[in-house]
Amino acid sequence: MKASVRIDTGSVIAPVDDRLYSSFIEHMGRAVYTGIYEPAHPSADEQGFRQDVQELIKPLKLGCIRYPGGNFLSGYRWLDGIGPKEKRPARPELAWSAIEPNQVGTDEFLQWCERTGVKPMLGVNLGTGTPQDAADMLEYVNGSLPTYYADLRRKNGHKEPYDVKLWCLGNEMDGPWQICGKTAEEYGRIAAETAKMMKWMDPSVELVACGSSYRDMPSFGEWERTVLQHCYKYVDYLSLHQYYQNNDGDRASFLARSLEMEDFIHTVAGICREAKAQQQGDHDIKLSFDEWNVWYHFQKDGKEPPKWTVARPIEEENYDMDDALVVGCMLNTLLRNTDTVKIACLAQLVNVIAPIMTEPGGKAWVQSIYWPFLYASRYGRGTALMPEVKCETYDCAIMNDVPIIDCSAVTDGCTLTVFLVNRSEEEVECALELTEQSDTAQITHVFFDDSVERPTEKDCGSYRAVKLPPLSWNMVRIG
């Protein structure tokens, strides 16, 4: 089977925002406790955080990490997680039916980010919380004046402001599963008033308003329009969330899901443009795809760990090669939409629907989805280009004319990087047609499929075609 990819260096989409390669840590399952934090672990640092996990996170070069939720956010009292640990209350955590000991809170997370070299993306509680709670938290984190919460941060050991720039105004507020969920009118009003107070407190912050929880929600579309009627003047981004499943074993449809993701992005971007036009606005609302991944294995197995425990082991996926291919396609989709999507968070980072797994007291390791994310984050920076792909297509249960090759391209000015996923069960010889490239340019091909445990690299010399193994993720670098 043959295909071709033509890339014109003039077909620029937009620069790739470093925050396109971000992730997410929620107080859910074992993401925090026995995930990133385990004081009794042999690798734990003085603050109790696992350094073996940190060493697997650092190569991902994450733009930011979203915290502390997620559904957890809508019931979180941030004051529980500051000050002396022995005085912090343990609470029933209603979102995930666990006990929250509050041994990791705002200071611990932000200082871990400093040590890990990652910027934080903090969320404020707009479920049980109020605009004043959000303003108080912002004062604690970023305040430089001699005021109560800024002084409290200083008293708790961090003299200088953390200077967190990116904040989420709640989480999935149209979901009936959300603690104190809201109608679009209710959320739009509280989000607008919260945003006003936060920007008065610190005009440098960027704010993300909640879009609908996912595309198939009955409220989708109308929710976004209503929220932006209230919030447009005060916010910078609108959020999107999407997870994909393969419960029925239909591989062909599963591998095509990223095409739905692309249409989702285009629809929400169009709504944002509508809001700007209707309000005669002076700024563009960009998109924060701050939850995305594959999520179904744990649910399909039907396991139900005991409730009301600390670090309740839920939603621990065992990812396979098909999942890595879908993640690779989703990354390609994000890169093809860098003109509107500026932030994207692979959800989550450790143990919970995650590329990194840990054993309490034991080892840490990576799963299949780690590799396409690692390579995209490492080499998919610079300027995104729109590739022209010619290949065969297939029909499946959810749509017709699915291209067997999914592709994105990025240039840093010196090297062109092309990411390709072969959705076919056959090998595909893919010709590379490039403009402004020397005939002697060296080509490196990295591929990942079921035949290898991790991506394998080979030098192709200056040959202008690569063989893409069946059902494989691939990266081609042209110097």
Side-chain angles (χ1 to χ4, degrees), residues 115-398:
R115 296 192 300 276
T116 309
V118 181
K119 293 180 180 179
M121 177 184 189
L122 289 182
V124 297
N125 175 0
L126 292 187
T128 62
T130 67
Q132 186 62 61
D133 295 333
D136 292 345
M137 183 179 178
L138 177 60
E139 179 192 338
Y140 182 88
V141 171
N142 284 5
S144 59
L145 299 174
T147 55
Y148 177 79
Y149 285 108
D151 283 344
L152 184 57
R153 183 199 66 239
R154 296 181 184 104
K155 179 182 177 181
N156 288 338
H158 203 273
K159 181 179 178 181
E160 298 301 321
Y162 289 106
D163 198 27
V164 175
K165 296 300 186 188
L166 190 58
W167 295 75
C168 299
L169 301 172
N171 173 77
E172 294 185 358
M173 296 309 301
D174 63 341
W177 57 84
Q178 203 67 211
I179 299 170
C180 294
K182 291 175 169 55
T183 67
E185 286 286 344
E186 290 170 338
Y187 173 73
R189 289 290 299 127
I190 193 173
E193 295 305 316
T194 303
K196 282 164 56 178
M197 292 179 70
M198 292 180 73
K199 289 210 168 181
W200 288 342
M201 177 77 69
D202 183 349
S204 71
V205 297
E206 292 186 301
L207 302 178
V208 183
C210 289
S212 187
S213 298
Y214 53 91
R215 188 185 185 186
D216 293 335
M217 288 289 290
S219 50
F220 173 62
E222 192 56 36
W223 170 276
E224 281 77 3
R225 292 183 177 91
T226 301
V227 167
L228 289 178
Q229 285 175 6
H230 293 287
C231 289
Y232 169 80
K233 291 185 290 187
Y234 310 112
V235 303
D236 306 281
Y237 305 93
L238 190 65
S239 73
L240 297 82
H241 292 179
Q242 190 65 59
Y243 299 96
Y244 290 115
Q245 298 82 32
N246 186 20
N247 290 316
D248 58 4
D250 181 356
R251 170 185 279 165
S253 294
F254 184 48
L255 296 180
R257 290 291 181 182
S258 60
L259 299 179
E260 293 183 339
M261 180 188 188
E262 193 135 26
D263 187 62
F264 182 22
I265 291 169
H266 294 168
T267 301
V268 178
I271 293 171
C272 291
R273 290 192 294 269
E274 285 177 21
K276 180 182 179 181
Q278 289 170 355
Q279 302 200 30
Q280 299 181 335
D282 59 359
H283 73 287
D284 294 319
I285 302 292
K286 298 299 185 180
L287 306 185
S288 175
F289 214 127
D290 47 41
E291 289 189 31
W292 68 270
N293 204 345
V294 171
W295 184 1
Y296 71 97
H297 295 280
F298 185 87
Q299 299 165 359
K300 190 174 180 180
D301 288 344
K303 297 176 182 177
E304 185 65 25
K307 294 183 177 182
W308 312 119
T309 60
V310 176
R312 183 174 175 234
I314 58 172
E315 309 305 337
E316 299 190 6
E317 300 283 274
N318 293 312
Y319 288 117
D320 58 25
M321 191 65 218
D322 285 358
D323 302 324
L325 298 182
V326 173
V327 165
C329 289
M330 295 176 84
L331 285 162
N332 285 344
T333 301
L334 294 170
L335 281 168
R336 291 194 299 266
N337 290 277
T338 51
D339 54 337
T340 55
V341 181
K342 299 301 178 182
I343 304 160
C345 302
L346 177 68
Q348 292 184 23
L349 184 56
V350 182
N351 285 332
V352 177
I353 47 175
I356 298 170
M357 300 296 295
T358 70
E359 180 181 286
K363 64 179 181 176
W365 68 97
V366 303
Q367 299 209 74
S368 63
I369 65 170
Y370 180 91
W371 299 110
F373 189 94
L374 171 74
Y375 279 87
S377 180
R378 184 178 294 175
Y379 299 110
R381 298 176 189 263
T383 300
L385 306 174
M386 184 59 75
E388 180 183 332
V389 180
K390 294 181 180 180
C391 64
E392 294 187 21
T393 63
Y394 68 87
D395 298 341
C396 62
I398 63 169

Side-chain angles (χ1 to χ4, degrees), residues 14-18 21 335 338 379-384 410-413:
V16 179
D17 194 308
D18 286 343
Y21 304 112
L335 281 168
T338 51
Y379 299 110
R381 298 176 189 263
T383 300
V410 180
T411 180
D412 63 5

